[in-house]
Amino acid sequence: MLTTLLAAPFAIALAGYAFTAWKARAIEQQFPNVGELIDVGGFSLNSVLVPAGDKADLPPLVFIHGASGNLRDQMHPFRARLEGRATMLFIDRPGHGYSERGGPENAWPDGQANAIARLMEKRGIEKAIIVAHSFGGAIAASFALEHPDKTAGLLFLAPATHPWPGGVDWYYDLARAPVIGWLFSRIVALPVGLSRIDSGTRFVFAPNPRPDDYIEATAPALVLRPAAFRNNATDVANLLDYVKRIQPRYHEIRTPTVIVTGDTDGVVYEEIHSRGLARDIAGSELVWIRNLGHKPDYVVTDLAVEAIEKIAGSDRDLQESARRAEARLAKDHEK
């Protein structure tokens, strides 16, 4: 009887392990690498470089995705809108997508910012406007602090940059733990995560609708592979301590900056992060949009492009654009 009781959990765990190994390979077959791996000092970062056209009117742009993401997440809304106008570099952050993790320094935003700076050099980009969503905001702020000579401007989209009350969801701390985290990511995380991709991505967009092609186009399932899942968990679990240390330095940032945020963001505290950045970075512009959730990169893409143009020196009334976006979102909200 005891043997039977002990054998059942072992069999379930073994089945979960086997399913995860099989499904992780299937996910990679479904969403193969669309970028190029380049060594940046002992490990390789994956990226897609879109060269500028002959009529380019913008400086180079570097896109940094958020937690649980990969380079496809920013490439999907922005590439078609900006192709030919600027050199664009879409990056899988260290340990995400198809990028290698590298050393322990890449568990922190400044380590990832330094890796991105080295990749820019390898890609022939001297200076760029950094466009960052969510968790990527902490990396963009660190990039501006560590590499001001490479920073032509900053566009923060629903950023996570400041200390917030509480902590993070329990599974982030569990997944990064030395032994149990290894088991959790190889037995439980992938099958449970697959069952939540639809609802989870809809939550990230809420109260705005998620594009119908979002899951197929941006491959969020890549984060459920065991190593990527643990890297993502480590990043998120480390963020609060990191921003407590780095936020007092934000006043040192001296570059054109725009922050675009919504007042109904269910993922980050916009009152803390976006208003905090607007307070801390002198001369920055906060674009506050009612009825907008956590994905301004998708929901108000045209406004984000205008923000890039303004950072590059063009005359753009972002507040008027925000009012037009609010009117559209209000109509959508009423439906």
Side-chain angles (χ1 to χ4, degrees):
M1 182 65 176
L2 180 59
T3 302
T4 302
L5 290 174
L6 293 175
F10 179 80
I12 293 171
L14 185 61
Y17 183 90
F19 175 81
T20 294
W22 168 77
K23 190 61 179 178
R25 289 193 296 270
I27 289 170
E28 291 181 343
Q29 291 173 355
Q30 182 181 3
F31 303 108
N33 187 13
V34 296
E36 179 183 356
L37 284 160
I38 295 177
D39 182 85
V40 292
F43 67 99
S44 295
L45 283 186
N46 189 56
S47 62
V48 170
L49 179 69
V50 182
D54 295 335
K55 298 181 180 180
D57 62 340
L58 294 170
L61 307 172
V62 172
F63 294 86
I64 305 177
H65 66 81
S68 303
N70 62 81
L71 62 81
R72 297 179 189 224
D73 191 46
Q74 297 294 280
M75 191 162 65
H76 188 42
F78 286 114
R79 179 170 181 169
R81 302 289 183 99
L82 290 164
E83 192 154 8
R85 299 189 62 189
T87 294
M88 292 182 283
L89 185 63
F90 299 92
I91 302 169
D92 279 337
R93 296 195 285 106
H96 297 258
Y98 284 92
S99 285
E100 296 173 353
R101 182 61 161 180
E105 70 278 4
N106 290 332
W108 305 92
D110 54 353
Q112 297 193 22
N114 292 335
I116 290 170
R118 295 194 298 273
L119 179 65
M120 286 172 58
E121 294 172 0
K122 292 290 185 76
R123 287 296 206 174
I125 298 174
E126 295 182 2
K127 196 171 187 177
I129 294 174
I130 311 299
V131 181
H133 173 246
S134 193
F135 184 99
I139 299 171
S142 296
F143 187 95
L145 290 170
E146 299 296 325
H147 304 280
D149 57 319
K150 296 182 182 296
T151 309
L154 297 169
L155 174 57
F156 294 96
L157 302 170
T161 50
H162 284 62
W164 67 90
V168 297
D169 289 333
W170 60 269
Y171 56 85
Y172 290 117
D173 286 320
L174 178 64
R176 69 168 176 166
V179 177
I180 194 171
W182 189 95
L183 293 170
F184 180 77
S185 64
R186 282 163 174 77
I187 296 173
V188 178
L190 191 148
V192 172
L194 285 175
S195 71
R196 298 184 61 186
I197 279 186
D198 182 69
S199 61
T201 52
R202 291 186 188 280
F203 172 79
V204 170
F205 274 86
N208 315 118
R210 186 198 69 195
D212 292 337
D213 66 344
Y214 181 77
I215 292 176
E216 185 64 29
T218 66
L222 286 172
V223 78
L224 299 176
R225 296 168 301 161
F229 190 85
R230 293 195 76 196
N231 292 333
N232 185 65
T234 299
D235 288 354
V236 174
N238 283 347
L239 184 60
L240 181 55
D241 285 343
Y242 179 80
V243 295
K244 286 179 179 177
R245 289 188 282 110
I246 200 69
Q247 181 267 326
R249 292 188 57 201
Y250 289 165
H251 68 89
E252 300 173 23
I253 296 174
R254 296 285 187 268
T255 191
T257 300
V258 174
I259 307 123
V260 179
T261 197
D263 72 342
T264 50
D265 192 325
V267 178
V268 301
Y269 294 107
E270 66 276 5
E271 289 281 356
I272 293 174
H273 302 284
S274 293
R275 289 200 187 279
L277 275 176
R279 178 195 66 232
D280 293 345
I281 301 178
S284 61
E285 180 174 0
L286 175 62
V287 183
W288 188 273
I289 302 173
R290 292 190 295 271
N291 292 317
L292 173 65
H294 191 58
K295 294 294 281 178
D297 41 349
Y298 281 78
V299 180
V300 292
T301 314
D302 288 342
L303 188 150
V305 170
E306 287 186 44
I308 290 170
E309 293 168 342
K310 184 168 187 177
I311 291 168
S314 297
D315 183 16
R316 298 289 183 269
D317 188 343
L318 299 182
Q319 302 305 321
E320 175 59 29
S321 295
R323 286 189 285 272
R324 291 197 299 270
E326 287 180 340
R328 172 174 60 83
L329 294 177
K331 290 181 180 179
D332 293 342
H333 194 65
E334 292 171 359
K335 293 179 180 178

